[in-house]
Amino acid sequence: MELKIQDLSVSVANKEIIKHFNLDIKPGEIHVLMGPNGVGKSTICKALMKSPGYDITNGKIFFDRIDMTHLDTAEISKLGLYYISQNPPAIEGVTNAEMLRLALSNKTGEKINIFAFNKKCNEICAKIDLPKSFLHRAINDGMSGGERKKNELLHLWVLEPKVILLDEIDSGLDVDALKTVAQSIMEYYEEKKPSILLITHHTKLLNIIHPHQVHIMKEGCIIKSGDESLAQSIEKNGFQNQFVTKELGENKDEE
């Protein structure tokens, strides 16, 4: 499904963080968003999912030609968007199995077949190296950073979203967990062909998750786009070199 963001501006606590942001992720495309801390990368994801306190002040968001600019989080999730944050929150008193059964029932409008549901969840746990006992644990409660990310992958595989927002999913992962998470995402991509927006500071993930486009953000908007080689250039030379190149180009145009 296509995700189109047009001229989006977002404020947090009355401070404008995102300024006239534009991005078009076509069906089945993987896009990477990079940039220094504080430029608004995470704000984009939170605004798309309507997190409290992230106020859209301008622009439109379209999902498969549906204007979702003013939909709430539940409606957006039901359309097929799924968000994994840097630090997925713990929810005490609600188990993974309970939440997933309820979410599936709301999504499909049908009663869940418990036998089929349990069989699928057990198969997914084996695939992502997550203990089956986690199905009956409170969501992310008492879990390490790596376990939380795998737990979110369990949700991903069960709910089968059409657009995935990954906000520094590599944060807090050791080498083995990073490989497991990245390979699972690519396996899901190959099977379901979702659209993906991936936020990262490093290129390790991109050794497994190969993007169609890479974008650099500065001061709340995209200033440069390219292919995977742009990410490699950032890894080698840093962001500042990209900013200087952009500014020189702007000055030349003005002359």
Side-chain angles (χ1 to χ4, degrees):
M1 297 292 182
E2 182 175 16
L3 179 65
K4 183 185 286 284
I5 306 171
Q6 295 182 337
D7 201 30
L8 189 72
S9 296
V10 180
S11 292
V12 180
N14 295 320
K15 180 180 179 182
E16 189 174 52
I17 305 298
I18 301 301
K19 306 171 184 178
H20 304 292
F21 182 96
N22 292 278
L23 182 62
D24 187 4
I25 304 178
K26 290 183 168 48
E29 287 187 345
I30 301 174
H31 287 233
V32 171
L33 202 55
M34 305 183 77
N37 289 326
V39 298
K41 302 185 301 296
S42 295
T43 300
I44 288 293
C45 292
K46 291 175 180 177
L48 287 172
M49 296 304 299
K50 300 301 175 59
S51 294
Y54 291 80
D55 301 317
I56 295 175
T57 57
N58 187 73
K60 294 282 187 180
I61 306 168
F62 293 95
F63 176 70
D64 196 29
R65 299 184 181 179
I66 298 171
D67 185 349
M68 54 172 258
T69 312
H70 301 293
L71 299 182
D72 62 28
T73 303
E75 292 169 324
I76 291 167
S77 297
K78 198 169 183 178
L79 283 176
L81 272 76
Y82 183 74
Y83 171 45
I84 301 181
S85 66
Q86 298 178 44
N87 186 26
I91 303 175
E92 297 181 8
V94 181
T95 69
N96 284 302
E98 290 169 338
M99 182 278 292
L100 288 170
R101 286 198 299 267
L102 180 60
L104 276 177
S105 181
N106 286 337
K107 178 182 176 181
T108 63
E110 300 174 357
K111 185 177 180 179
I112 301 304
N113 181 309
I114 299 299
F115 177 79
F117 171 82
N118 288 338
K119 182 174 183 293
K120 180 174 182 177
C121 287
N122 287 334
E123 290 172 349
I124 293 169
C125 284
K127 183 186 302 187
I128 62 177
D129 193 26
L130 187 72
K132 295 178 183 178
S133 60
F134 277 46
L135 286 167
H136 307 292
R137 286 180 57 175
I139 299 171
N140 296 325
D141 188 33
M143 299 182 190
S144 68
E147 288 172 340
R148 289 190 182 204
K149 298 296 173 65
K150 290 181 180 180
N151 202 50
E152 295 291 311
L153 287 180
L154 166 64
H155 301 173
L156 170 76
W157 277 97
V158 172
L159 297 175
E160 300 185 358
K162 301 169 185 174
V163 174
I164 307 171
L165 311 175
L166 302 172
D167 187 0
E168 295 190 38
I169 195 170
D170 48 344
S171 176
L173 298 183
D174 60 30
V175 174
D176 291 334
L178 176 64
K179 185 176 180 180
T180 298
V181 168
Q183 288 179 337
S184 181
I185 290 168
M186 277 310 295
E187 185 178 350
Y188 182 86
Y189 174 78
E190 293 296 336
E191 186 175 321
K192 306 295 183 180
K193 287 295 185 291
S195 302
I196 298 176
L197 176 60
L198 169 65
I199 295 173
T200 186
H201 283 291
H202 309 291
T203 58
K204 289 182 180 179
L205 265 181
L206 308 189
N207 293 330
I208 299 174
I209 302 175
H210 298 286
H212 296 88
Q213 288 192 54
V214 175
H215 312 280
I216 304 176
M217 280 188 71
K218 182 184 181 183
E219 297 178 356
C221 64
I222 291 173
I223 65 161
K224 190 171 186 178
S225 298
D227 58 20
E228 193 172 342
S229 64
L230 178 56
Q232 302 298 333
S233 175
I234 292 168
E235 185 80 6
K236 182 178 179 180
N237 302 310
F239 290 111
Q240 192 59 40
N241 182 58
Q242 306 297 334
F243 297 157
V244 170
T245 301
K246 173 70 174 178
E247 288 162 2
L248 287 174
E250 289 174 346
N251 292 336
K252 184 175 180 180
D253 290 340
E254 290 172 2
E255 292 173 359

